[in-house]
Amino acid sequence: LAQLMLTLLSSCAQYSSNKEINDPLESMNRSVFKFNQGLDKYILKPISTEYEKLPENVKKGVSNHVKWASTPVTIANSVIQLEAENFSTSSIKFLLNSLTLGLYDLDPETKYKTRDFGSSLAKYNVSPGPYIVLPILGPRSLRHFSGNIVDQSVSNGPKNHSYNSTTLPMSILSNRNRYSNVIEDIYNSQDPYLKAKILYTENRLNSISSTKLLEQQKQDEQDEF
């Protein structure tokens, strides 16, 4: 399925600017978005409501574990992006928190930037490609989705499905609970699909862009006027 989508979508028009989101598959995307809304309403939201009743330290432990389990992806992509400080910081913190399987953060003061292969592609000027909405996983750019496939393949290996069976469901549940207010705000908007698309695009840009790139983008926008 992934190979089919990559082949199909690679022929679509390229992303032109941050102010114009490339969405050539809007009709299909809206259908998938509507499906995700139904899935959220009847399955994820009720589960999230019960999850919210758990003690805060339990929910924090789940969130910590999810972040810890994804750290090897950050470590690998920090190397690709030549970010030595981020590589060393994330590596040391991953090894330290391995003592608790990530359930308890033994060094909460140490911070690092989350990196994935999609952000590595962005650093080397690969176009985001068209906007797509995936079942369950939600909004992505083609570049982001392609990066997800590579990250999962590299971090888990061909015979290890532990991430799919445990950490991925935990991640979906933890994020649904964490961003419940944002999700409700999207659903209550005049056009939930459009609002979700804009919020995703802006958040993704901010998460992968360095300060230098953001400053260059602002300068380019000023030059247009």
Side-chain angles (χ1 to χ4, degrees):
L1 175 60
Q3 291 177 335
L4 176 62
M5 290 190 67
L6 290 175
T7 302
L8 175 63
L9 297 177
S10 62
S11 64
C12 296
Q14 295 296 305
Y15 178 91
S16 58
S17 74
N18 293 320
K19 291 179 288 185
E20 182 181 349
I21 302 172
N22 185 18
D23 189 6
L25 303 174
E26 182 173 350
S27 179
M28 183 186 75
N29 285 338
R30 283 186 177 273
S31 296
V32 178
F33 182 82
K34 187 174 181 179
F35 166 80
N36 286 344
Q37 274 189 297
L39 186 70
D40 180 76
K41 179 179 179 180
Y42 294 108
I43 299 179
L44 295 181
K45 185 176 180 179
I47 295 176
S48 179
T49 300
E50 295 302 314
Y51 178 80
E52 177 63 28
K53 298 176 183 179
L54 294 176
E56 287 298 325
N57 60 331
V58 174
K59 291 185 289 185
K60 182 65 175 176
V62 171
S63 178
N64 286 341
H65 174 77
V66 168
K67 185 172 183 180
W68 170 79
S70 67
T71 305
V73 170
T74 287
I75 295 172
N77 283 285
S78 293
V79 174
I80 295 174
Q81 297 182 39
L82 305 178
E83 296 181 341
E85 182 178 353
N86 206 58
F87 165 75
S88 59
T89 302
S90 57
S91 298
I92 293 172
K93 187 160 186 174
F94 175 76
L95 293 174
L96 179 62
N97 286 336
S98 295
L99 297 173
T100 66
L101 294 180
L103 294 170
Y104 184 78
D105 191 348
L106 298 173
D107 186 16
E109 299 300 321
T110 300
K111 307 294 181 183
Y112 59 86
K113 299 175 182 177
T114 301
R115 292 290 182 248
D116 54 43
F117 193 67
S119 65
S120 294
L121 293 174
K123 180 166 185 176
Y124 294 102
N125 300 319
V126 174
S127 170
Y131 175 81
I132 55 178
V133 181
L134 302 173
I136 303 176
L137 297 180
R140 295 286 190 278
S141 66
L142 177 57
R143 181 180 65 195
H144 188 185
F145 177 45
S146 303
N148 287 158
I149 297 173
V150 173
D151 288 332
Q152 185 171 328
S153 300
V154 170
S155 62
N156 295 294
K159 297 182 180 180
N160 186 353
H161 302 288
S162 60
Y163 183 85
N164 288 331
S165 61
T166 57
T167 308
L168 181 57
M170 291 170 63
S171 176
I172 292 174
L173 180 58
S174 178
N175 286 332
R176 176 58 179 86
N177 179 258
R178 181 181 178 184
Y179 298 110
S180 59
N181 291 335
V182 176
I183 294 172
E184 292 302 321
D185 183 55
I186 290 174
Y187 290 167
N188 291 329
S189 64
Q190 185 174 359
D191 187 347
Y193 173 81
L194 179 60
K195 185 162 187 175
K197 179 167 64 174
I198 293 173
L199 286 177
Y200 162 78
T201 304
E202 292 180 346
N203 182 67
R204 181 63 181 170
L205 176 65
N206 291 331
S207 68
I208 67 176
S209 297
S210 65
T211 302
K212 181 178 180 180
L213 288 175
L214 287 174
E215 290 176 350
Q216 181 61 48
Q217 176 197 349
K218 292 179 180 178
Q219 183 61 48
D220 290 343
E221 291 177 352
Q222 292 175 359
D223 291 344
E224 292 180 2
F225 296 96

